Amino acid sequence: MSQNPFDASLVTGSDALTGLMETIVDGVITIDGEGRIIHFNPACERLFGYAADEVVGQNVKMLMPEPYRAEHDSYLESYRYTGKRKIIGIGREVTGRRKDGTTFPMELSVGEINRGERSAFVGVIRDLSARKRLEQGLRDSEAQHRAIVETAVDGLIIIDARGTVRIYNPACEKMFGYEADEVVGHNIKMLMPLQFASQHDGYLSNYLRTGNRKIIGVGREVVGRRKSGETFPIELSVGETVIGGERTYVGVLRDITTKKADQENLRRSRSELQDRVRELEIARDELQRNEQEMAQLAQLATAAREAADLASSAKSEFLAIVSHEIRTPMNAIMGFAKLLVDARLDEPHADHARMIQRASEALMTILNDIIDLSKIEAGRIELDEGVFSLPAKLKAIEQLWGPAAGSNDLYLRTVTAPDTPKAVVGDALRLRQILFNLVSNAIKFTREGGVEVRVGVDSRDGQKVKLRYEVSDTGIGIPEDKHQAIFEPFTQADSSTSRRYGGSGLGLSISKRLVEMMGGEIGVRSTPGVGSTFWFTVICDDAEQAGEEAEYSFDSVGEPVASMRVLVAEDHELNQVMIRTVLEALGHQVHVVPDGGSAVAAVERGGFDVVFMDIAMPELDGVAATERIRELDGPGAAIPIVALTAHAMKGDREKYISAGMTDYLSKPIDLGDLLRVLHKLHANPGQTDVSIN
């Protein structure tokens, strides 16, 4: 203890004062002039964690952390000699140190007591920890709100009841073009077009007076004005709150210029689409008025168009109907034309018959091209791959187109490179379609000279082989600037071409699509007046490397077969006469019935070798009639049944074979195909799976 003790009773005084110091919430410490603690009330014990008897008589430095502890004695000494105060009589925020070593903020007020020559100092202490935590929480909350305001994508504006802007975030700066310091403190009207700015104060005062809302708590679309003077649409939501007793309004703004533009574009697109629909409807109506003979087809097309959005299969159904309805009468036209040509009429009737035959064949070509193009565009064509002989396909080209070339004094020859596979796996039908189109065009556009068809290997990759075909002619040629256009639908090299040579301009477009489906390319080299070379590539499997064998393919019809007893089920009168005439001319006995029910009854009675069964018939169609025949008791159940139908879409053949039919011929009937079927039936009597290749 000090040699100059200070009597604590001189500081505490009366019992009442002592009681006050013992019960006061704030800590009270009394020290003598040397810094020794002479009084330490219970509040201090709670604050610092020391009992009074642990600190009384000790230097008050023990309650201070560094660097305050080291500075304390020098501070007291300086005060005694100079009278300069830092805390005494002033008060300040300092840091205390607890018994456990932790520190805490405290507010310290120090007063001085003099008793003669002796002095004592009384310190009143208040723990600021809770207040500091609250202040820090407020600062954190303010920082969070500031971050939200500063980083919000939407514009945020806060105004007071007078319309003065208090907060204006960065999104608003981008939106209006004003910096925050140009707007804050100014009336919100500066961000409005003049016609709306003049109404704002009246609206605000009216709301304060009556409570009638137009935007507050509702939200609406308004017009803003940028610093440049440009106006733009805004989506505005306004909320109301009270801060510090004053009404405050918080506005959230979103620039909807792009949204409005998108809406306008959508409206315009809808309008254009409606106009286009109206144009199509007008065109449809005019087609119906001008094409009386196609009324039934137009009705079917309209029905198919109205049902097109119900399922993707509707288009295929429509194409099947169109094909059937046109092929049915065309079967009679082409059949009778063939009969007339073969009848050796006298001129000019024979010439007329040949004209009818060529015209009907041209019409069928156009029909097939249109259906193929529609199926390709709808993604409905699938490749039907099988094994076939390349030499046989080239021979077929010579057989089919040789007479046409010869009649025009043109040569037609085919050349196969030595390394070309004998057989490949691919779609023989589509390959033949491409070649026939290119060869027919070459013959059509060549006046003298001839046409050469070449095939060879472009490249190999394992069993994959890329074949390259070239069809060269000495014809009229094509200008270079038309080389790409001729592969587009309904396009020919020159408008005069279609007038002079005919054609729809679909063949090359279809060929291009088919070549691409087979993994290849197509192109042309041509010089006007010299000739053209159309080339294309397709990717196939080498059948030999793939371990496949080419199936037998008929190269000729052969001799007529022995007389057969033929039952024909056909409801179309012209087709009845035509098929009867053709079969009887071939030496067969023919009996015709008009519907499926009559066909079933005739087979049940017996006496027939084969049935040619139409599909679309009244009462009982061909498929249902076939099912009933196959269910009969006795030998009639196994009679060969050949589908004879205008249904010629992909998958029809398989559908009728799976329904129990033996073979399939599509209308218009090709005489060669008819004879091949008869040959196969004659060679395989009673066999129910002898479809031609």
Side-chain angles (χ1 to χ4, degrees):
M1 296 297 292
S2 171
Q3 297 178 353
N4 184 28
F6 190 88
D7 187 357
S9 64
L10 295 177
V11 178
T12 55
S14 65
D15 292 339
L17 181 57
T18 299
L20 176 63
M21 292 179 68
E22 293 299 311
T23 58
I24 191 170
V25 175
D26 292 333
V28 179
I29 297 178
T30 305
I31 63 173
D32 61 17
E34 301 299 326
R36 290 185 294 269
I37 299 172
I38 57 178
H39 184 262
F40 192 77
N41 77 338
C44 281
E45 291 180 325
R46 291 191 296 273
L47 280 176
F48 289 94
Y50 289 103
D53 57 6
E54 292 181 276
V55 298
V56 171
Q58 303 294 326
N59 194 292
V60 75
K61 292 187 298 182
M62 68 183 294
L63 304 179
M64 304 176 186
E66 295 291 354
Y68 309 111
R69 178 181 297 187
E71 297 172 352
H72 183 261
D73 290 342
S74 60
Y75 165 69
L76 274 179
E77 186 176 355
S78 173
Y79 172 66
R80 282 196 300 267
Y81 286 101
T82 66
K84 291 183 178 180
R85 300 180 175 185
K86 291 186 178 181
I87 297 179
I88 298 170
I90 301 173
R92 60 183 292 186
E93 183 180 321
V94 296
T95 303
R97 180 178 181 276
R98 297 188 179 94
K99 181 178 180 180
D100 61 7
T102 59
T103 60
F104 64 98
M106 63 185 193
E107 187 177 75
L108 175 62
S109 301
V110 180
E112 183 178 8
I113 303 173
N114 293 306
R115 291 293 186 268
E117 295 181 356
R118 290 182 297 173
S119 297
F121 303 95
V122 179
V124 179
I125 300 168
R126 178 169 294 171
D127 187 351
L128 299 179
S129 298
R131 191 176 81 182
K132 288 292 185 179
R133 286 194 297 270
L134 178 60
E135 290 175 350
Q136 184 60 44
L138 291 173
R139 285 192 295 271
D140 291 344
S141 177
E142 183 181 356
Q144 289 175 356
H145 286 87
R146 185 180 300 109
I148 292 171
V149 171
E150 295 296 317
T151 60
V153 175
D154 291 333
L156 184 66
I157 296 179
I158 298 178
I159 65 173
D160 60 21
R162 294 174 294 281
T164 303
V165 178
R166 297 304 180 195
I167 292 180
Y168 178 87
N169 75 338
C172 284
E173 293 180 327
K174 295 177 183 177
M175 192 181 304
F176 289 96
Y178 288 103
E179 298 294 329
D181 56 7
E182 296 179 273
V183 178
V184 173
H186 297 275
N187 195 284
I188 189 68
K189 292 187 295 184
M190 68 183 294
L191 304 179
M192 303 176 185
L194 294 178
Q195 65 269 34
F196 301 116
S198 59
Q199 303 171 10
H200 181 262
D201 289 341
Y203 163 69
L204 199 56
S205 61
N206 180 68
Y207 168 68
L208 294 173
R209 186 177 67 257
T210 66
N212 292 333
R213 300 180 174 187
K214 291 186 178 180
I215 297 179
I216 297 171
V218 179
R220 62 182 294 183
E221 183 181 316
V222 298
V223 179
R225 178 180 178 276
R226 306 189 204 276
K227 185 177 181 179
S228 63
E230 175 193 4
T231 59
F232 64 102
I234 295 173
E235 203 172 65
L236 174 63
S237 299
V238 180
E240 179 182 12
T241 186
V242 176
I243 300 176
E246 183 180 6
R247 288 179 185 261
T248 302
Y249 305 97
V250 180
V252 179
L253 306 87
R254 178 171 295 173
D255 186 343
I256 56 173
T257 302
T258 301
K259 177 181 175 182
K260 298 288 285 186
D262 290 343
Q263 289 174 343
E264 176 59 25
N265 290 336
L266 179 59
R267 186 200 62 76
R268 189 181 298 111
S269 297
R270 285 176 176 169
S271 177
E272 291 173 355
L273 181 59
Q274 290 171 350
D275 291 342
R276 181 58 180 157
V277 169
R278 283 193 292 270
E279 291 174 3
L280 292 175
E281 290 174 345
I282 292 171
R284 180 205 63 199
D285 294 342
E286 183 157 347
L287 177 63
Q288 291 173 339
R289 287 193 299 270
N290 295 339
E291 301 292 340
Q292 295 295 329
E293 68 278 11
M294 301 293 285
Q296 184 179 8
L297 177 60
Q299 291 172 2
L300 293 171
T302 301
R305 180 186 57 78
E306 292 174 347
D309 58 347
L310 300 179
S312 61
S313 62
K315 185 170 185 179
S316 294
E317 180 68 20
F318 169 68
L319 290 174
I321 293 171
V322 170
S323 175
H324 179 273
E325 292 302 316
I326 295 181
R327 285 175 184 273
T328 297
M330 284 303 299
N331 180 58
I333 294 171
M334 295 181 73
F336 282 119
K338 174 64 175 174
L339 292 174
L340 290 174
V341 170
D342 293 343
R344 299 184 180 182
L345 301 173
D346 59 338
E347 299 294 342
H349 298 97
D351 189 45
H352 292 166
R354 286 190 291 271
M355 290 180 181
I356 293 172
Q357 187 180 41
R358 287 196 296 271
S360 60
E361 289 172 350
L363 182 57
M364 280 305 303
T365 299
I366 293 173
L367 172 65
N368 290 334
D369 283 348
I370 290 174
I371 291 176
D372 274 350
L373 182 64
S374 298
K375 289 192 291 185
I376 289 172
E377 290 180 343
R380 306 292 297 185
I381 280 189
E382 297 178 1
L383 298 179
D384 187 9
E385 295 191 339
V387 182
F388 63 92
S389 167
L390 288 178
K393 294 306 173 187
L394 291 184
K395 185 176 181 180
I397 292 174
E398 291 181 352
Q399 289 178 333
L400 181 65
W401 296 105
S407 66
N408 292 326
D409 296 324
L410 303 174
Y411 64 80
L412 173 63
R413 57 175 172 255
T414 60
V415 179
T416 303
D419 62 343
T420 306
K422 293 295 186 291
V424 295
V425 180
D427 192 326
L429 178 64
R430 294 304 177 184
L431 180 60
R432 184 180 69 171
Q433 183 178 355
I434 298 166
L435 284 171
F436 279 18
N437 179 268
L438 296 181
V439 172
S440 67
N441 281 347
I443 293 174
K444 181 168 64 174
F445 293 115
T446 301
R447 299 193 186 100
E448 58 183 24
V451 177
E452 183 174 280
V453 181
R454 297 180 295 275
V455 61
V457 175
D458 185 86
S459 63
R460 285 181 178 271
D461 183 8
Q463 70 183 37
K464 294 289 184 184
V465 57
K466 179 186 285 188
L467 299 176
R468 182 181 178 90
Y469 285 87
E470 293 187 353
V471 179
S472 298
D473 64 59
T474 57
I476 62 175
I478 304 168
E480 186 174 358
D481 61 349
K482 302 293 185 181
H483 286 186
Q484 294 298 320
I486 58 175
F487 292 103
E488 297 300 321
F490 307 103
T491 302
Q492 293 188 338
D494 190 281
S495 60
S496 63
T497 301
S498 60
R499 293 194 298 271
R500 175 179 291 184
Y501 298 99
S504 63
L506 289 175
L508 287 177
S509 173
I510 293 171
S511 296
K512 180 176 184 293
R513 306 285 185 90
L514 293 176
V515 164
E516 290 171 348
M517 288 177 66
M518 290 188 278
E521 300 176 287
I522 191 169
V524 62
R525 303 187 304 273
S526 184
T527 302
V530 176
S532 304
T533 295
F534 281 84
W535 62 267
F536 68 92
T537 60
V538 293
I539 296 177
C540 302
D541 286 333
D542 187 321
E544 183 177 355
Q545 293 190 23
E548 303 280 356
E549 293 185 3
E551 297 179 3
Y552 178 73
S553 177
F554 286 96
D555 293 326
S556 62
V557 173
E559 296 297 325
V561 299
S563 176
M564 301 175 69
R565 295 164 297 177
V566 181
L567 174 64
V568 176
E570 168 65 65
D571 67 313
H572 196 282
E573 184 178 355
L574 291 177
N575 283 325
Q576 290 175 352
V577 176
M578 188 275 296
I579 189 64
R580 176 194 290 274
T581 304
V582 170
L583 289 171
E584 288 179 346
L586 294 173
H588 301 291
Q589 303 172 45
V590 182
H591 178 68
V592 178
V593 295
D595 55 64
S598 300
V600 175
V603 171
E604 194 170 15
R605 288 192 301 270
F608 296 101
D609 298 312
V610 62
V611 179
F612 283 91
M613 183 79 74
D614 187 25
I615 298 300
M617 293 185 293
E619 304 297 335
L620 190 69
D621 65 29
V623 173
T626 298
E627 292 175 349
R628 292 193 185 181
I629 290 172
R630 296 301 181 216
E631 294 171 355
L632 293 175
D633 295 327
I639 190 170
I641 302 174
V642 180
L644 188 66
T645 176
H647 291 289
M649 303 295 285
K650 179 176 176 62
D652 284 340
R653 179 190 188 86
E654 293 76 10
K655 178 172 64 176
Y656 300 135
I657 296 298
S658 66
M661 294 183 174
T662 310
D663 212 327
Y664 165 92
L665 285 173
S666 65
K667 298 176 183 177
I669 302 169
D670 181 83
L671 181 58
D673 288 342
L674 175 61
L675 289 172
R676 291 187 185 102
V677 169
L678 292 173
H679 268 279
K680 297 181 75 173
L681 291 173
H682 186 267
N684 301 274
Q687 185 171 331
T688 59
D689 187 14
V690 292
S691 58
I692 64 172
N693 296 320

